[in-house]
Amino acid sequence: MTDLLPPLPPALRFAPELLLQAQGVRAVVLDVDGVLTDGGLYFSAEGEVLKRFDSLDGHGLKLLQQAGLQVMVVSGRDSPALRLRLAALGVQRSRLGAQDKLPAAQALLAELGLTFPELAVMGDDWPDLPLLRRARLACAPAQAHAEVRAVAHHVTQAAGGHGAVRELCDLLLVASGRYAQLLARAS
């Protein structure tokens, strides 16, 4: 016999104007260093680049995909560690080693038949500004550069690599109306 528990009510609250801004988002573009990671670059004795990823962010990205949102990555760097993490998360669209992020993001959007008004972007430094300024929803992690925070619709409480991406995922899920349903499945 199983115990039937009442649905768990969502504990998250976002400002109504932020939820309105996030409505209509169909895809997300993320930077990596300083967003999916803490921005630190770790090198092994052999010169291999090591990166730290947060499991909360990873679960949030999987939830976005379950909700039907496209997850994409545009990064100025490329590494085997990053490719392994993206594969583990099921992220199939990325542009790595992209020195100019705008054409890289435009190419990804064209592949999906989407436009910037359907896009959320999270970045932390100047190379991300062209994407952030065009996106429907521009987000920055707490430690992002001042110029990035100034153009962001939302600055997360968490820092990059420490749950900032999960905050964006939760915001998008609440705005899409899917958060409570996904939470009920988990509880």
Side-chain angles (χ1 to χ4, degrees), residues 13-15 18 21 121-123 132 137-142 148-149 151-158 164 167-168 171:
R13 301 285 183 262
F14 293 101
L18 184 59
Q21 187 72 36
V121 173
M122 182 176 270
L132 292 162
L137 181 67
C139 290
V148 171
R149 292 192 316 267
V151 302
H153 297 108
H154 180 63
V155 176
T156 63
Q157 292 181 10
E167 286 185 42
L168 170 59
L171 167 60

Coordinates of all heavy atoms in Angstrom, one line a residue, residues 13-15 18 21 121-123 132 137-142 148-149 151-158 164 167-168 171:
R13 N 9.2 31.9 -6.0 CA 8.4 33.1 -6.4 C 9.2 34.0 -7.2 O 10.4 34.3 -6.9 CB 7.9 33.8 -5.1 CG 7.0 33.0 -4.2 CD 5.6 32.8 -4.7 NE 4.8 32.1 -3.8 CZ 4.6 30.8 -3.8 NH1 5.1 30.1 -4.7 NH2 3.8 30.2 -2.9
F14 N 8.7 34.4 -8.3 CA 9.4 35.4 -9.2 C 8.5 36.6 -9.4 O 7.2 36.5 -9.4 CB 9.7 34.8 -10.6 CG 10.7 33.7 -10.5 CD1 10.3 32.3 -10.6 CD2 12.1 33.9 -10.4 CE1 11.2 31.3 -10.5 CE2 13.0 32.9 -10.4 CZ 12.6 31.6 -10.4
A15 N 9.0 37.7 -9.6 CA 8.3 39.0 -9.9 C 7.4 38.8 -11.1 O 7.9 38.2 -12.1 CB 9.2 40.1 -10.0
L18 N 9.0 39.8 -14.4 CA 10.0 38.9 -14.9 C 9.4 37.7 -15.5 O 9.9 37.3 -16.6 CB 10.9 38.5 -13.7 CG 12.1 37.7 -14.0 CD1 13.0 38.4 -15.1 CD2 12.9 37.3 -12.8
Q21 N 8.3 38.7 -18.9 CA 9.4 38.8 -19.8 C 9.9 37.4 -20.3 O 10.3 37.3 -21.5 CB 10.6 39.5 -19.1 CG 11.8 39.8 -20.0 CD 11.5 41.0 -20.9 OE1 10.8 41.9 -20.6 NE2 12.0 40.9 -22.1
V121 N 19.1 34.1 -22.8 CA 20.6 34.0 -22.8 C 21.1 34.2 -21.4 O 20.7 35.1 -20.7 CB 21.2 35.0 -23.8 CG1 22.7 35.0 -23.7 CG2 20.8 34.8 -25.2
M122 N 22.2 33.4 -21.1 CA 22.9 33.7 -19.8 C 24.4 33.8 -20.2 O 24.9 32.9 -20.7 CB 22.7 32.7 -18.7 CG 23.4 33.0 -17.5 SD 23.1 31.9 -16.1 CE 21.7 32.7 -15.3
G123 N 24.9 35.0 -19.8 CA 26.3 35.2 -20.1 C 26.9 36.0 -18.9 O 26.1 36.6 -18.1
L132 N 23.0 39.0 -25.3 CA 22.2 39.4 -24.2 C 21.3 40.6 -24.6 O 20.1 40.7 -24.3 CB 23.0 39.8 -23.0 CG 23.7 38.7 -22.3 CD1 24.9 39.2 -21.4 CD2 22.8 37.9 -21.4
L137 N 15.0 37.4 -23.0 CA 15.3 37.3 -21.6 C 16.8 37.2 -21.4 O 17.4 36.2 -21.8 CB 14.6 36.2 -20.9 CG 14.9 36.1 -19.4 CD1 14.2 37.2 -18.7 CD2 14.4 34.7 -18.9
A138 N 17.4 38.3 -20.9 CA 18.9 38.3 -20.7 C 19.1 38.1 -19.2 O 18.6 38.8 -18.3 CB 19.4 39.7 -21.1
C139 N 20.0 37.1 -18.9 CA 20.3 36.7 -17.5 C 21.8 36.8 -17.3 O 22.5 36.4 -18.2 CB 19.7 35.4 -17.1 SG 17.9 35.3 -17.0
A140 N 22.1 37.1 -16.1 CA 23.5 37.1 -15.7 C 23.7 36.4 -14.3 O 22.8 36.6 -13.4 CB 24.1 38.5 -15.6
P141 N 24.8 35.7 -14.1 CA 25.0 35.1 -12.8 C 25.5 36.3 -11.9 O 26.0 37.3 -12.3 CB 26.1 34.1 -13.0 CG 26.8 34.4 -14.3 CD 25.7 35.2 -15.1
A142 N 25.4 36.0 -10.6 CA 25.7 37.0 -9.6 C 27.1 37.7 -9.8 O 27.2 38.9 -9.5 CB 25.6 36.5 -8.2
V148 N 27.5 43.5 -17.9 CA 26.6 42.4 -18.2 C 25.4 42.5 -17.3 O 24.2 42.4 -17.7 CB 27.3 41.1 -18.1 CG1 26.3 39.9 -18.2 CG2 28.3 41.0 -19.3
R149 N 25.7 42.7 -16.0 CA 24.6 42.9 -15.0 C 23.7 44.0 -15.4 O 22.5 44.0 -15.2 CB 25.1 43.0 -13.6 CG 25.8 41.8 -13.1 CD 26.1 41.8 -11.6 NE 26.6 43.0 -11.1 CZ 27.9 43.3 -11.0 NH1 28.8 42.4 -11.3 NH2 28.3 44.5 -10.5
V151 N 22.7 45.1 -18.3 CA 21.8 44.9 -19.4 C 20.9 43.7 -19.1 O 19.9 43.5 -19.9 CB 22.5 44.6 -20.8 CG1 23.4 45.8 -21.2 CG2 23.3 43.4 -20.8
A152 N 21.1 43.0 -18.1 CA 20.3 41.8 -17.7 C 18.9 42.1 -17.2 O 18.8 43.0 -16.4 CB 21.1 40.9 -16.7
H153 N 18.0 41.4 -17.7 CA 16.6 41.5 -17.1 C 16.6 40.8 -15.7 O 15.8 41.2 -14.8 CB 15.6 40.7 -18.0 CG 15.4 41.3 -19.3 ND1 15.9 40.6 -20.4 CD2 14.9 42.4 -19.7 CE1 15.6 41.4 -21.5 NE2 15.0 42.5 -21.1
H154 N 17.5 39.8 -15.5 CA 17.6 39.1 -14.2 C 19.0 38.8 -13.9 O 19.7 38.2 -14.7 CB 16.7 37.9 -14.3 CG 16.7 37.0 -13.1 ND1 16.2 37.5 -11.9 CD2 17.1 35.8 -12.8 CE1 16.3 36.6 -10.9 NE2 16.9 35.5 -11.5
V155 N 19.4 39.1 -12.7 CA 20.7 38.6 -12.2 C 20.4 37.6 -11.1 O 19.6 37.9 -10.1 CB 21.5 39.8 -11.6 CG1 22.8 39.3 -11.0 CG2 21.8 40.9 -12.7
T156 N 21.0 36.4 -11.2 CA 20.7 35.4 -10.2 C 21.3 35.6 -8.9 O 22.3 36.4 -8.8 CB 21.2 34.0 -10.8 OG1 22.6 34.1 -10.9 CG2 20.6 33.7 -12.1
Q157 N 20.8 35.0 -7.9 CA 21.4 35.1 -6.6 C 22.7 34.2 -6.5 O 23.7 34.6 -5.8 CB 20.4 34.6 -5.5 CG 19.3 35.6 -5.3 CD 18.3 35.1 -4.2 OE1 18.6 34.2 -3.5 NE2 17.2 35.8 -4.1
A158 N 22.7 33.1 -7.2 CA 23.8 32.2 -7.2 C 24.9 32.7 -8.2 O 24.5 33.3 -9.2 CB 23.4 30.8 -7.5
A164 N 23.6 29.1 -10.7 CA 23.0 30.2 -11.4 C 22.1 29.7 -12.6 O 21.0 30.2 -12.8 CB 24.1 31.1 -12.0
E167 N 18.8 28.5 -11.5 CA 17.8 29.6 -11.2 C 17.1 30.0 -12.5 O 15.9 30.3 -12.6 CB 18.5 30.8 -10.6 CG 18.9 30.5 -9.1 CD 19.5 31.8 -8.5 OE1 19.0 32.9 -8.7 OE2 20.4 31.6 -7.7
L168 N 17.9 30.1 -13.6 CA 17.3 30.5 -14.9 C 16.4 29.4 -15.4 O 15.2 29.7 -15.8 CB 18.4 30.7 -15.9 CG 17.9 30.8 -17.4 CD1 17.0 32.0 -17.6 CD2 19.1 30.9 -18.3
L171 N 13.1 29.7 -13.4 CA 12.4 30.8 -13.9 C 11.6 30.5 -15.2 O 10.4 30.8 -15.3 CB 13.3 32.0 -14.1 CG 12.7 33.2 -14.9 CD1 11.5 33.8 -14.2 CD2 13.8 34.3 -15.1

